[in-house]
Amino acid sequence: MQLETLAIHAGQPADPVSGAVVPPIVLSTTFERAADGSFPSGYIYTRSGNPNRTALEQCLAALEGGADCAAFGSGLAAAMSIFQALAPGDHVLIPDDAYHGVSRLVREVMAPWGLEYSIVDMTDLGAVRAALRPNTRLLWVETPSNPLLKVSDIAALAEAAHAAGARCAVDNTWATPALQQPLALGADLALHATTKYLGGHSDVLGGAVVARERDGLFERIRFIQGNGGAVPAPFDCWLVLRGVRSLAYRMRGHVENAGRVAAFLSAHPAIERVHYPGLASHPGHAVAARQMRGFGGMLSVEVRGGEPAAMALAARVRLFTRATSLGGVESLIEHRASVEGPESRTPPSLLRLSIGLEHPDDLLADLEQALAALP
C-alpha cells in the first residue's frame, strides 16, 4: 500500500468490541490476568505496553518500512534510548549542526556516563571516514539538519558506518516518512520527534525509534523503553496517530508554501542567505533531490545587519508566531541562537522558520511588510 493508505489503516482496524472506526483511548494502567496467570490480551501494565501505543508503533513502523517501532514520551527520550543502548567506552559521531538538545544530551549526560563522541561535518564523507575509530558504534545523522538545513547522503553514510562495524541512525523528524525513508537507504534506525510533523497540530509531545531489523540493538531500546519508563500516555499516542492520518497531504502543503517563501526571501535584498534544500543554489540540493520526495517545510534565513536586524524582523511579523518548535499547521519564527544559549554554533543573524498551512500569499505579505520596516 502507498503511504497515504498506510497512514490511515496501518495499526488501526475497527475496534472489535464496539465497531468504532476511530480507535478508543485505553486509559487503564493495568490489565486482567486469566485464571492461569497469563495475559490473553498481551498487555500487563501500561508502562510496558498499551493498545494505543501498539497502534501508533505499528503505524510508524509501516510508514518507515521498518520491522518495529518503540514510542517514547518525547523526541529526546527516544534519542536517549539509542545512546543508552550503547555501552560506556563506545564512540559515536554526531553532526556539527545537530539539534542542540541532542548535542547537550551527548555532551552533558552521555559523555560523563562514559560515551565517547566526535563532532563532524556529516556532509563531508571524507571527514566522516577519517573520524571513525575502532570503537565507533554509531553515526548520528540529521538531514536536513537543524537549523542550517545541511543535507547528508544517507546511503553513503550508512555504507561507511557498516564498513566500520557501526550503526547509522537518522533523525527523520524534519523530512518525515512522507518525504524521506532512511531505512530504505540503508540506515538502521529512524528517529522522530512525533511532537512535530507527525502530530502536526502543536498539541502533543512524543518521540519514536523505528528499526529496520528487530535485532539486538532494537531489543535493547525496547528494554530501555519499558524499564526506563519514558513512555507516551495513551491519549498522546492517540493524538499522534490522529495527526499521522493527514500527514501526506499536510506535507504537500508545507513543501509548497516553504518553496514559495524560500524563493521570495532569496530574492530580497535584506536577506543575506536562505538555507533551503529546494533552492538550486543550496549545496545539498542534488543529494536532497535524489533521496527526498519533497524539500520540506523548514527553512532558515540570515538577515543582513546581524542579530539586531534578525530580532527586529522577528518582532515585526504579524502572522508568524514567535515560538519554539515546528511542524504544526501555524507558521513559526524563531531566533535560534537565543534559544540555544552561549554554546550555540548558530549564526546570530539566523532566523528559523517553520512554514505552516496558511495561504502562501498571506505569509509572503506578512514577511514583506516586516522586511520593509527594517532600517
Side-chain angles (χ1 to χ4, degrees), residues 94 99-111 339-340 343:
I94 64 172
Y99 165 53
H100 83 108
V102 167
S103 296
R104 291 194 66 184
L105 174 64
V106 171
R107 183 176 65 248
E108 300 179 27
V109 178
M110 300 310 302
V339 174
E340 294 171 359
E343 73 277 5

PDB file of all heavy atoms in Angstrom, residues 94 99-111 339-340 343:
ATOM      1  N   ILE A  94      28.576  12.612  15.859  1.00  0.00           N
ATOM      2  CA  ILE A  94      27.385  13.448  15.758  1.00  0.00           C
ATOM      3  C   ILE A  94      27.692  14.628  14.838  1.00  0.00           C
ATOM      4  O   ILE A  94      28.839  15.044  14.709  1.00  0.00           O
ATOM      5  CB  ILE A  94      26.891  13.941  17.131  1.00  0.00           C
ATOM      6  CG1 ILE A  94      27.929  14.847  17.804  1.00  0.00           C
ATOM      7  CG2 ILE A  94      26.533  12.761  18.025  1.00  0.00           C
ATOM      8  CD1 ILE A  94      27.407  15.515  19.069  1.00  0.00           C
ATOM      9  N   TYR A  99      20.827  19.049  16.294  1.00  0.00           N
ATOM     10  CA  TYR A  99      19.855  19.719  17.158  1.00  0.00           C
ATOM     11  C   TYR A  99      20.500  19.939  18.520  1.00  0.00           C
ATOM     12  O   TYR A  99      21.107  19.021  19.080  1.00  0.00           O
ATOM     13  CB  TYR A  99      18.600  18.856  17.262  1.00  0.00           C
ATOM     14  CG  TYR A  99      17.665  19.235  18.377  1.00  0.00           C
ATOM     15  CD1 TYR A  99      17.201  20.543  18.520  1.00  0.00           C
ATOM     16  CD2 TYR A  99      17.243  18.285  19.296  1.00  0.00           C
ATOM     17  CE1 TYR A  99      16.348  20.890  19.551  1.00  0.00           C
ATOM     18  CE2 TYR A  99      16.385  18.618  20.327  1.00  0.00           C
ATOM     19  CZ  TYR A  99      15.939  19.925  20.456  1.00  0.00           C
ATOM     20  OH  TYR A  99      15.096  20.258  21.487  1.00  0.00           O
ATOM     21  N   HIS A 100      20.376  21.147  19.061  1.00  0.00           N
ATOM     22  CA  HIS A 100      21.141  21.483  20.261  1.00  0.00           C
ATOM     23  C   HIS A 100      20.752  20.608  21.443  1.00  0.00           C
ATOM     24  O   HIS A 100      21.572  20.355  22.341  1.00  0.00           O
ATOM     25  CB  HIS A 100      20.987  22.972  20.597  1.00  0.00           C
ATOM     26  CG  HIS A 100      19.745  23.306  21.372  1.00  0.00           C
ATOM     27  ND1 HIS A 100      19.781  23.661  22.692  1.00  0.00           N
ATOM     28  CD2 HIS A 100      18.444  23.324  21.006  1.00  0.00           C
ATOM     29  CE1 HIS A 100      18.550  23.901  23.114  1.00  0.00           C
ATOM     30  NE2 HIS A 100      17.729  23.711  22.122  1.00  0.00           N
ATOM     31  N   GLY A 101      19.514  20.112  21.486  1.00  0.00           N
ATOM     32  CA  GLY A 101      19.110  19.211  22.556  1.00  0.00           C
ATOM     33  C   GLY A 101      19.881  17.903  22.515  1.00  0.00           C
ATOM     34  O   GLY A 101      20.267  17.358  23.564  1.00  0.00           O
ATOM     35  N   VAL A 102      20.146  17.393  21.316  1.00  0.00           N
ATOM     36  CA  VAL A 102      20.946  16.173  21.178  1.00  0.00           C
ATOM     37  C   VAL A 102      22.398  16.450  21.536  1.00  0.00           C
ATOM     38  O   VAL A 102      23.053  15.648  22.217  1.00  0.00           O
ATOM     39  CB  VAL A 102      20.818  15.610  19.747  1.00  0.00           C
ATOM     40  CG1 VAL A 102      21.868  14.531  19.488  1.00  0.00           C
ATOM     41  CG2 VAL A 102      19.422  15.056  19.519  1.00  0.00           C
ATOM     42  N   SER A 103      22.912  17.588  21.098  1.00  0.00           N
ATOM     43  CA  SER A 103      24.300  17.941  21.433  1.00  0.00           C
ATOM     44  C   SER A 103      24.495  18.023  22.946  1.00  0.00           C
ATOM     45  O   SER A 103      25.473  17.500  23.494  1.00  0.00           O
ATOM     46  CB  SER A 103      24.681  19.278  20.797  1.00  0.00           C
ATOM     47  OG  SER A 103      24.654  19.197  19.385  1.00  0.00           O
ATOM     48  N   ARG A 104      23.550  18.650  23.632  1.00  0.00           N
ATOM     49  CA  ARG A 104      23.646  18.757  25.089  1.00  0.00           C
ATOM     50  C   ARG A 104      23.499  17.386  25.747  1.00  0.00           C
ATOM     51  O   ARG A 104      24.173  17.072  26.738  1.00  0.00           O
ATOM     52  CB  ARG A 104      22.585  19.703  25.632  1.00  0.00           C
ATOM     53  CG  ARG A 104      22.797  21.157  25.276  1.00  0.00           C
ATOM     54  CD  ARG A 104      21.915  22.057  26.118  1.00  0.00           C
ATOM     55  NE  ARG A 104      22.290  21.997  27.516  1.00  0.00           N
ATOM     56  CZ  ARG A 104      21.636  22.636  28.494  1.00  0.00           C
ATOM     57  NH1 ARG A 104      20.568  23.362  28.208  1.00  0.00           N
ATOM     58  NH2 ARG A 104      22.037  22.534  29.750  1.00  0.00           N
ATOM     59  N   LEU A 105      22.601  16.572  25.220  1.00  0.00           N
ATOM     60  CA  LEU A 105      22.406  15.227  25.751  1.00  0.00           C
ATOM     61  C   LEU A 105      23.702  14.426  25.697  1.00  0.00           C
ATOM     62  O   LEU A 105      24.100  13.781  26.681  1.00  0.00           O
ATOM     63  CB  LEU A 105      21.304  14.527  24.955  1.00  0.00           C
ATOM     64  CG  LEU A 105      21.038  13.059  25.268  1.00  0.00           C
ATOM     65  CD1 LEU A 105      20.529  12.891  26.689  1.00  0.00           C
ATOM     66  CD2 LEU A 105      20.024  12.487  24.274  1.00  0.00           C
ATOM     67  N   VAL A 106      24.368  14.470  24.543  1.00  0.00           N
ATOM     68  CA  VAL A 106      25.613  13.726  24.389  1.00  0.00           C
ATOM     69  C   VAL A 106      26.719  14.328  25.258  1.00  0.00           C
ATOM     70  O   VAL A 106      27.440  13.609  25.965  1.00  0.00           O
ATOM     71  CB  VAL A 106      26.042  13.696  22.908  1.00  0.00           C
ATOM     72  CG1 VAL A 106      27.429  13.114  22.748  1.00  0.00           C
ATOM     73  CG2 VAL A 106      25.026  12.892  22.085  1.00  0.00           C
ATOM     74  N   ARG A 107      26.822  15.636  25.218  1.00  0.00           N
ATOM     75  CA  ARG A 107      27.928  16.311  25.908  1.00  0.00           C
ATOM     76  C   ARG A 107      27.784  16.284  27.438  1.00  0.00           C
ATOM     77  O   ARG A 107      28.761  16.048  28.161  1.00  0.00           O
ATOM     78  CB  ARG A 107      27.998  17.757  25.413  1.00  0.00           C
ATOM     79  CG  ARG A 107      29.152  18.572  25.993  1.00  0.00           C
ATOM     80  CD  ARG A 107      29.210  19.960  25.377  1.00  0.00           C
ATOM     81  NE  ARG A 107      28.042  20.774  25.702  1.00  0.00           N
ATOM     82  CZ  ARG A 107      27.120  21.147  24.808  1.00  0.00           C
ATOM     83  NH1 ARG A 107      27.221  20.764  23.548  1.00  0.00           N
ATOM     84  NH2 ARG A 107      26.094  21.894  25.174  1.00  0.00           N
ATOM     85  N   GLU A 108      26.573  16.520  27.925  1.00  0.00           N
ATOM     86  CA  GLU A 108      26.394  16.745  29.360  1.00  0.00           C
ATOM     87  C   GLU A 108      25.824  15.544  30.118  1.00  0.00           C
ATOM     88  O   GLU A 108      25.885  15.513  31.351  1.00  0.00           O
ATOM     89  CB  GLU A 108      25.501  17.969  29.579  1.00  0.00           C
ATOM     90  CG  GLU A 108      26.087  19.246  28.991  1.00  0.00           C
ATOM     91  CD  GLU A 108      25.188  20.458  29.183  1.00  0.00           C
ATOM     92  OE1 GLU A 108      24.398  20.460  30.156  1.00  0.00           O
ATOM     93  OE2 GLU A 108      25.267  21.396  28.361  1.00  0.00           O
ATOM     94  N   VAL A 109      25.244  14.584  29.395  1.00  0.00           N
ATOM     95  CA  VAL A 109      24.672  13.414  30.065  1.00  0.00           C
ATOM     96  C   VAL A 109      25.421  12.141  29.710  1.00  0.00           C
ATOM     97  O   VAL A 109      25.891  11.405  30.579  1.00  0.00           O
ATOM     98  CB  VAL A 109      23.170  13.252  29.724  1.00  0.00           C
ATOM     99  CG1 VAL A 109      22.597  12.007  30.391  1.00  0.00           C
ATOM    100  CG2 VAL A 109      22.386  14.487  30.147  1.00  0.00           C
ATOM    101  N   MET A 110      25.558  11.891  28.405  1.00  0.00           N
ATOM    102  CA  MET A 110      26.135  10.615  27.983  1.00  0.00           C
ATOM    103  C   MET A 110      27.662  10.587  28.102  1.00  0.00           C
ATOM    104  O   MET A 110      28.233   9.547  28.418  1.00  0.00           O
ATOM    105  CB  MET A 110      25.715  10.300  26.550  1.00  0.00           C
ATOM    106  CG  MET A 110      24.209  10.178  26.348  1.00  0.00           C
ATOM    107  SD  MET A 110      23.372   9.095  27.528  1.00  0.00           S
ATOM    108  CE  MET A 110      24.229   7.553  27.293  1.00  0.00           C
ATOM    109  N   ALA A 111      28.339  11.706  27.840  1.00  0.00           N
ATOM    110  CA  ALA A 111      29.797  11.722  27.964  1.00  0.00           C
ATOM    111  C   ALA A 111      30.248  11.462  29.402  1.00  0.00           C
ATOM    112  O   ALA A 111      31.157  10.646  29.634  1.00  0.00           O
ATOM    113  CB  ALA A 111      30.369  13.036  27.430  1.00  0.00           C
ATOM    114  N   VAL A 339      17.799  30.858  21.746  1.00  0.00           N
ATOM    115  CA  VAL A 339      17.234  29.664  22.381  1.00  0.00           C
ATOM    116  C   VAL A 339      18.340  28.709  22.806  1.00  0.00           C
ATOM    117  O   VAL A 339      18.287  28.101  23.881  1.00  0.00           O
ATOM    118  CB  VAL A 339      16.260  28.957  21.411  1.00  0.00           C
ATOM    119  CG1 VAL A 339      15.776  27.643  21.993  1.00  0.00           C
ATOM    120  CG2 VAL A 339      15.085  29.859  21.089  1.00  0.00           C
ATOM    121  N   GLU A 340      19.363  28.576  21.963  1.00  0.00           N
ATOM    122  CA  GLU A 340      20.399  27.572  22.201  1.00  0.00           C
ATOM    123  C   GLU A 340      21.398  27.993  23.271  1.00  0.00           C
ATOM    124  O   GLU A 340      22.067  27.144  23.856  1.00  0.00           O
ATOM    125  CB  GLU A 340      21.114  27.276  20.888  1.00  0.00           C
ATOM    126  CG  GLU A 340      20.190  26.598  19.877  1.00  0.00           C
ATOM    127  CD  GLU A 340      20.809  26.480  18.504  1.00  0.00           C
ATOM    128  OE1 GLU A 340      21.957  26.948  18.324  1.00  0.00           O
ATOM    129  OE2 GLU A 340      20.161  25.927  17.604  1.00  0.00           O
ATOM    130  N   GLU A 343      26.528  28.284  24.172  1.00  0.00           N
ATOM    131  CA  GLU A 343      27.290  27.275  23.422  1.00  0.00           C
ATOM    132  C   GLU A 343      26.827  27.142  21.980  1.00  0.00           C
ATOM    133  O   GLU A 343      27.346  26.319  21.219  1.00  0.00           O
ATOM    134  CB  GLU A 343      27.175  25.913  24.116  1.00  0.00           C
ATOM    135  CG  GLU A 343      25.836  25.222  23.974  1.00  0.00           C
ATOM    136  CD  GLU A 343      24.789  25.684  24.977  1.00  0.00           C
ATOM    137  OE1 GLU A 343      25.064  26.624  25.746  1.00  0.00           O
ATOM    138  OE2 GLU A 343      23.701  25.093  24.996  1.00  0.00           O
TER     139      GLU A 343
END
